[in-house]
Amino acid sequence: MKYNVEVIVSYKKGVLDPQSAAISGAISSLGYQNIENLTISKKFNFQISGREKKEVEEQVESLCRKLLANPVIENYQYIIGEEK
Amino acid sequence: MKYNVEVIVSYKKGVLDPQSAAISGAISSLGYQNIENLTISKKFNFQISGREKKEVEEQVESLCRKLLANPVIENYQYIIGEEK
């Protein structure tokens, strides 16, 4: 069975994100003074095939920890959905 | 009134994304042979204050075109929600 997976990786609170800071600065320079609390996350979408959802969940968890996120400074969350 | 905005920016179909290609390669190297169609998007979250939703929508649209996305190679979509 195939599953659609969405993983969101974002910086933990308190971690300095230079990309967000740069974009926030650019937004101010463009004259938008009414925008605040900008954060940027990465969104990964992929398909994974496996027999059981439990097994797929373990793979996704391991993939997040090993490759998609840096658990020291980033949080991750994922949604696994069965393909229609 | 404050609105919570989420903007998703992703490459258009057919645009080569070296980051996705590199991560797909790394996934294979780690021994996962059952993962396919990996895509990476950027997710921006921010708060915007404005009187009317229509006005906020125009600002978000303009911000996407000018700064958050490159409309030549990227698609964007956004959700604007009223803050609870």
Side-chain angles (χ1 to χ4, degrees), chain A residues 19-60:
Chain A
Q19 199 187 2
S20 301
I23 291 183
S24 298
I27 287 174
S28 297
S29 312
L30 282 174
Y32 300 96
Q33 302 301 332
N34 55 344
I35 290 176
E36 55 185 15
N37 298 330
L38 180 101
T39 57
I40 308 179
S41 317
K42 280 172 282 184
K43 184 164 90 70
F44 300 89
N45 289 83
F46 54 88
Q47 294 180 311
I48 182 167
S49 45
R51 270 169 317 195
E52 287 179 44
K53 195 163 178 184
K54 180 127 191 60
E55 175 197 337
V56 166
E57 267 178 25
E58 283 168 12
Q59 281 205 350
V60 171

Side-chain angles (χ1 to χ4, degrees), chain A:
Chain A
M1 178 165 278
K2 277 199 180 174
Y3 298 87
N4 288 317
V5 182
E6 178 174 308
V7 178
I8 307 281
V9 176
S10 47
Y11 281 104
K12 287 185 180 174
K13 271 215 164 132
V15 175
L16 182 73
D17 176 8
Q19 199 187 2
S20 301
I23 291 183
S24 298
I27 287 174
S28 297
S29 312
L30 282 174
Y32 300 96
Q33 302 301 332
N34 55 344
I35 290 176
E36 55 185 15
N37 298 330
L38 180 101
T39 57
I40 308 179
S41 317
K42 280 172 282 184
K43 184 164 90 70
F44 300 89
N45 289 83
F46 54 88
Q47 294 180 311
I48 182 167
S49 45
R51 270 169 317 195
E52 287 179 44
K53 195 163 178 184
K54 180 127 191 60
E55 175 197 337
V56 166
E57 267 178 25
E58 283 168 12
Q59 281 205 350
V60 171
E61 180 71 35
S62 141
L63 198 62
C64 287
R65 265 180 293 122
K66 283 189 198 161
L67 186 68
L68 302 181
N70 175 351
V72 177
I73 55 168
E74 291 173 324
N75 288 320
Y76 57 88
Q77 59 193 86
Y78 49 82
I79 304 166
I80 300 174
E82 284 177 28
E83 182 155 87
K84 272 138 219 156

Side-chain angles (χ1 to χ4, degrees), chain B residues 2-14:
Chain B
K2 276 200 182 174
Y3 298 87
N4 289 317
V5 183
E6 177 174 310
V7 178
I8 306 279
V9 176
S10 47
Y11 282 104
K12 288 186 179 174
K13 270 213 166 134

